[in-house]
Amino acid sequence: MAPVRTRFAPSPTGHLHIGGVRTALFNWLYARHHGGQFILRIDDTDQQRHVEEALKPILEGFRWLGLDWDEGPEVGGPYAPYFQSQRTQRYQAAVERLLERGYAYRDFSRPEEIQAEREAAEKAGVPFRYSRRWMAETEAQAERFASEGRTAVVRLKMPSEGVCRFEDLVRGPMEFAWAQEQDHVIQRADGSCLYHLANVVDDYDFQISHVIRAVEHLSNTPRQIFIAQGLDLPIPRYAHLPYVAEPGSQSKLSKRKLKKYLKHPDFRKLYEHGAHILERLGRTIDEETFQPVLVEFYRAVGYLPEAILNYVLLLGWSLDDKTEFFTRQAMIESFSLERVNKSPASFDPVKLWSFQQHYMNELTLEEKWEIVRPFLEEVGWVDTPPTLEQRQRTEAVLRAAGDRIKTGGDILDFPEFYVADAELAYDEKALKKRLGDPESQQRLAEFAEVLAQLEPFDAPHIETAMKEWVQERGIGLGKIIHAVRVAVTGRGVGLGMFEALEILGKATTLARIEQALAKVGAAQRPA
RNA sequence: GGCCCCUUCGUCUAGCGGUCUAGGACACCGGCCUUUCACGCCGGUAACACGGGUUCGAGUCCCGUAGGGGUCACCA
């Protein structure tokens, strides 16, 4: 049996769409499952500008996700080049062959003439089909049209009867009437070729065995089969995946509708969490790339590739009625096209988030450190590279934070462990609530004395000391713990109080209590 | 509009004629735990779009209807 070879063919737009990731993943899984090859081909037939630059984020996205390609940009391969813009001579040869075999013709019509025919058909209420009025099948005809100042494109000469049949690996038997097809242009007057032609030629040249792509391409399939037939090429197997839909809708997910999606509460939450992290980093938000529809978003915020992959895997595919989590190996082993759904699946930000939580919790402390580290370095809370002390402190924070840190960027929500006392920001509301009255201030001052005497200054001892202290006074723990928290961390919420104090150490703790007391004391005096 | 496709809890899905008074996950609701937040634990609400067939029997097969969607470029 011929080896399984699949491909993903991004056009270098600069972005990797979440739906694209899903398509790429399925192609990758299918190839890996069958021990075949996964090829990356760049569909830049139309791109005259900055392919390199636009390609970079896409390839980085692939690398980040761990979807390695066997052939394609950077790695090359036996069928190089893998850029369509560099394969024009192949397409030219194909066009000539199609012309010779009568599967295509030179057409000297002007665009506005086609447009007129199209409009006339619409007006008459009949389906449009080009009259072939400016079709030139002989040199004499061509010369005559050319003498009128016309230039020629090459069109497919589609059959007017019969049906195109093929078996779709996801959808089953498909049937399209040839008469429905248009005489599509495959080559422009300037000699450049169009996508469908290039696509078929390349799929053959690269020996692609399975074309796994989004269902948007389903209706393009007959014309591609026609081209393949005209070229006398074998037809690959086709599998058309349902598209990924908008959250809470059945419409196709688009990267152009950020504003609309932000009206969806769950989507908005996902976005705002990410925007918050970027803000902490002091980066400006580029709306072009920073949106939860694109993988760049997730990388920037510190999501785990495993979470993204596992989530999109289940968008249109399932193994059975209970398996939710798949390691890379498990994905490869269990993936099959037979279990791909036919109906679109809508993108659910909340579910994605839950996968992220799951995988984050599976990380060891060392792994979490690596996820969090770039954020700390960027914001300058640790050196580049970090010192051993900084790393140990961060690991202590990570340990104490537990599952509170859900993405790499979430570490930025804990400035209290990194900034100097004087730079600690206080949440005014929390400060007022917990230290607004003289009694609580008094209690805090008294408890500070206890802390000052405490040795060793670690979480268990602090806890014991505080519990004994409140017991002596016959008051609840809540009367003091919140005051200490806000005084030392500046906030009303955070990780475990006792661990927090231990990480910060006695000196910092006492200094911050003093600082907080001064702050509320000053606030109480009229100016 | 033509052609094509899709339709099980809010969402992702299991289900390939009887085992379905429809299973799981996420979300949601209630309770427990609790120093905040988060987690965790226990429990709960919630779906076969509709109408006809076929069949002893239909979520599962067939046909309609409705709804949703994709696609109709000298874009990819």
Side-chain angles (χ1 to χ4, degrees), chain A residues 118-173:
Chain A
R118 198 184 301 272
E119 279 164 18
E122 195 170 324
K123 216 167 183 178
V126 299
F128 165 71
R129 245 201 154 195
Y130 174 41
S131 65
R132 297 182 183 165
R133 216 168 121 192
W134 292 277
M135 170 170 79
E137 286 191 306
T138 65
E139 258 330 290
Q141 285 173 312
E143 274 169 33
R144 202 185 78 224
F145 289 136
S147 70
E148 292 173 22
R150 292 170 179 273
T151 54
V153 299
V154 177
R155 286 183 185 274
L156 253 18
K157 194 171 183 185
M158 297 303 288
S160 54
E161 48 191 44
V163 290
C164 172
R165 288 197 183 85
F166 63 96
E167 179 80 11
D168 189 286
L169 264 19
V170 169
R171 282 151 200 277

Side-chain angles (χ1 to χ4, degrees), chain A residues 227-382:
Chain A
I227 294 171
Q229 286 173 343
L231 262 13
D232 221 4
L233 304 177
I235 313 289
R237 308 299 309 270
Y238 290 101
H240 288 96
L241 273 21
Y243 58 87
V244 177
E246 301 173 340
S249 148
Q250 293 295 83
S251 306
K252 196 170 83 172
L253 190 66
S254 153
K255 67 184 169 213
R256 289 263 154 238
K257 294 185 180 169
L258 179 63
K259 277 222 171 68
K260 178 184 171 190
Y261 300 158
L262 287 177
K263 287 181 188 144
H264 187 99
D266 296 337
F267 190 93
R268 183 174 196 95
K269 242 170 101 180
L270 201 71
Y271 174 82
E272 281 178 347
H273 168 265
H276 168 72
I277 288 169
L278 251 63
E279 194 185 323
R280 289 266 191 192
L281 286 172
R283 285 204 219 166
T284 49
I285 290 176
D286 175 4
E287 283 203 8
E288 267 296 300
T289 59
F290 193 74
Q291 47 169 308
V293 169
L294 305 175
V295 275
E296 285 95 310
F297 174 92
Y298 301 97
R299 197 156 54 113
V301 175
Y303 281 75
L304 299 171
E306 290 74 22
I308 307 298
L309 252 24
N310 201 146
Y311 175 70
V312 299
L313 173 71
L314 264 17
L315 235 36
W317 180 87
S318 67
L319 176 62
D320 54 30
D321 60 342
K322 22 187 81 77
T323 317
E324 295 285 327
F325 299 113
F326 293 83
T327 61
R328 237 162 249 268
Q329 199 47 44
M331 282 185 199
I332 292 170
E333 277 163 18
S334 44
F335 185 76
S336 70
L337 287 172
E338 289 74 57
R339 293 200 59 86
V340 173
N341 275 139
K342 292 188 192 64
S343 48
S346 77
F347 175 78
D348 182 356
V350 178
K351 187 112 177 187
L352 171 59
W353 182 253
S354 81
F355 275 105
Q356 169 63 19
Q357 283 193 63
H358 172 85
Y359 282 102
M360 201 67 180
N361 288 152
E362 296 222 312
L363 259 35
T364 62
L365 218 50
E366 289 71 25
E367 290 167 331
K368 273 195 191 174
W369 157 248
E370 290 303 336
I371 296 298
V372 132
R373 174 182 163 176
F375 292 91
L376 292 172
E377 288 181 353
E378 183 173 341
V379 84
W381 289 355
V382 302

Side-chain angles (χ1 to χ4, degrees), chain A residues 37-107:
Chain A
Q37 288 89 46
F38 173 63
I39 292 116
L40 223 48
R41 177 233 290 166
I42 307 307
D43 280 9
D44 58 349
T45 51
D46 195 44
Q47 242 71 23
Q48 41 278 75
R49 50 172 222 292
H50 313 312
V51 170
E52 281 294 296
E53 199 176 300
L55 193 55
K56 216 178 128 199
I58 295 173
L59 297 184
E60 274 172 10
F62 269 86
R63 261 189 289 268
W64 179 68
L65 290 165
L67 301 180
D68 55 321
W69 57 101
D70 301 298
E71 298 168 26
E74 296 182 0
V75 303
Y79 305 102
Y82 291 87
F83 289 79
Q84 290 191 328
S85 56
Q86 294 167 26
R87 305 179 58 76
T88 51
Q89 70 294 344
R90 294 286 305 140
Y91 310 143
Q92 184 55 42
V95 168
E96 277 160 23
R97 186 158 161 77
L98 253 14
L99 247 14
E100 276 166 26
R101 301 188 70 203
Y103 280 82
Y105 59 88
R106 292 208 285 161
D107 175 51

